[in-house]
């Protein structure tokens, strides 16, 4: 589970990166002025520029509002990736950080798949799913891959593996790979980090999650060299539908990889709502 300190460190790092970018621009401006001005002007500019670079005029850095950010959405440039879809960005503040939400995926393969989203462990992933669902981002899109790790790959409207919204966000809840035991036998099995029914985000490279996600239809025990995926939830209903998806034969895609479902898996709609059961008071609390 990602701690609030981890998220704050990531937000602080992003803030630092923005500050450095702004200061680099200011420094270039200062050098241009120095190159064209006299000595007296240069002295004045150096003094003012030093204060400026030091942050004296960074009003946004002196406010406390940024400390209230729950999530950071890093912008992506559609001009460099035509597969991205512009839908704006979710809010950064006043996002849920506790409890669970219910994601319902209606497909052409049977009963809807319902998953409980762990807001406490992955608040930004949950917020992104909720935001994109509200934009009907996933509706009428295909799960374009069935992977040999035992997962259905969904959430890319382009079906290319390159699609998503024009923002990305950090990993939050990637499980730690257990250290190999010195006394363990060579035939020891790897630990299952993604049990059947796990819903996880997938981004490439790491810390660049968007809209794409995996639903595991069987247990997955990755090796130490395998990529890690951030866990956002667990399937609570529609496991038969998920199992049916996992049995669909695959054919080669445009890259020659045998991962494309021979039969289409289409998401008719994907919605996210508050978990009424979790929000309802217990019988003992009511008595």
């Amino acid at each position: 589970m990602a701690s609030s300190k981890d998220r704050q460190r990531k937000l602080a790092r992003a803030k630092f990166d923005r500050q450095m970018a702004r200061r680099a621009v200011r420094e270039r401006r200062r050098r241009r002025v120095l190159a064209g001005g006299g000595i007296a002007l240069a002295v004045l500019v150096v003094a003012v520029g030093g204060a400026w670079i030091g942050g004296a005029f960074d009003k946004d850095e002196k406010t406390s509002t940024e400390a209230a950010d729950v999530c950071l959405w890093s912008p992506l440039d559609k001009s460099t990736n035509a597969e991205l879809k512009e839908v704006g960005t979710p809010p950064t503040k006043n996002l849920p950080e506790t409890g669970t939400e219910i994601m319902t995926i209606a497909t052409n393969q049977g009963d809807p798949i319902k998953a409980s989203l762990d807001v406490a462990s992955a608040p930004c992933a949950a917020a992104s799913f909720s935001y994109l669902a509200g934009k009907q981002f996933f509706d009428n899109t295909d799960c374009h891959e069935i992977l040999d790790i035992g997962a259905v790959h969904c959430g890319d409207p382009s079906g290319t593996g390159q699609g998503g919204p024009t923002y990305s966000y950090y990993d939050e809840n990637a499980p730690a790979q257990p250290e190999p035991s010195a006394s363990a036998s060579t035939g020891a099995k790897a630990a299952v980090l993604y049990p059947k029914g796990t819903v996880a985000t997938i981004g490439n490279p790491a810390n660049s999650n968007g809209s794409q996600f995996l639903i595991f239809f069987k247990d997955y025990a990755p090796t130490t060299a395998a990529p890690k995926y951030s866990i956002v939830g667990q399937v609570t209903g529609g496991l038969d539908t998920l199992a049916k998806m996992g049995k669909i034969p695959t054919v080669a895609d445009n890259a020659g990889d045998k991962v494309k479902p021979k039969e289409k898996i289409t998401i008719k709609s994907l919605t996210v709502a508050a978990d009424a059961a979790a929000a309802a008071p217990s019988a003992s609390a009511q008595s």
Side-chain angles (χ1 to χ4, degrees):
M1 174 176 174
S3 68
S4 59
K5 288 185 178 179
D6 290 335
R7 292 197 296 275
Q8 289 303 319
R9 279 196 293 269
K10 289 174 181 176
L11 290 171
R13 175 67 193 196
K15 177 181 177 182
F16 175 78
D17 290 342
R18 291 197 300 272
Q19 291 171 355
M20 291 302 99
R22 287 196 297 269
R23 292 177 185 180
V25 171
R26 291 196 292 266
E27 178 63 15
R28 287 195 295 272
R29 290 174 181 167
R30 184 181 71 84
R31 289 175 180 172
R32 286 197 296 269
V33 173
L34 285 174
I39 295 176
L41 179 59
V43 171
L44 177 61
V45 171
V46 168
V48 175
W52 199 350
I53 293 173
F57 307 113
D58 287 351
K59 293 181 180 180
D60 61 320
E61 294 172 21
K62 292 184 178 296
T63 64
S64 59
T65 56
E66 197 162 3
D69 288 347
V70 177
C71 301
L72 171 74
W73 315 107
S74 301
L76 300 177
D77 190 353
K78 184 174 173 59
S79 66
T80 62
N81 182 1
E83 306 299 346
L84 298 178
K85 185 177 180 181
E86 176 60 65
V87 288
T89 55
T92 61
K93 300 176 175 64
N94 301 317
L95 296 170
E97 294 184 77
T98 59
T100 55
E101 293 176 338
I102 297 299
M103 180 168 70
T104 303
I105 308 172
T107 74
N108 65 333
Q109 292 295 325
D111 293 336
I113 294 174
K114 291 184 178 291
S116 177
L117 301 183
D118 188 349
V119 177
S121 297
C124 298
S128 181
F129 272 109
S130 180
Y131 176 80
L132 293 175
K135 299 286 185 178
Q136 290 82 49
F137 186 90
F138 302 100
D139 295 3
N140 301 310
T141 64
D142 293 335
C143 296
H144 65 287
E145 292 182 337
I146 299 176
L147 304 178
D148 59 6
I149 60 175
V152 180
H153 185 181
C154 309
D156 177 2
S158 74
T160 64
Q162 303 299 316
T166 50
Y167 67 85
S168 67
Y169 59 95
Y170 283 105
D171 294 340
E172 294 177 291
N173 192 32
Q177 177 70 39
E179 293 292 333
S181 174
S183 60
S185 65
T186 56
K189 292 184 178 180
V192 172
L193 301 185
Y194 301 91
K196 181 173 67 174
T198 296
V199 180
T201 58
I202 176 172
N204 186 22
N207 286 312
S208 61
N209 299 295
S211 60
Q212 298 183 40
F213 62 98
L214 304 175
I215 311 177
F216 288 85
F217 54 82
K218 66 179 181 181
D219 293 346
Y220 175 44
T223 64
T224 54
K228 294 180 179 178
Y229 311 106
S230 295
I231 296 174
V232 63
Q234 184 71 28
V235 172
T236 57
L239 281 172
D240 289 343
T241 301
L242 181 58
K244 179 183 176 182
M245 292 178 181
K247 294 177 181 178
I248 295 175
T250 56
V251 296
D253 61 8
N254 292 336
D257 299 319
K258 194 178 178 181
V259 294
K260 182 179 179 180
K262 195 172 182 179
E263 178 185 345
K264 272 196 171 186
I265 302 173
T266 300
I267 294 177
K268 295 179 178 180
S269 66
L270 186 153
T271 60
V272 176
D275 188 346
S282 64
S284 59
Q286 293 175 330
S287 60

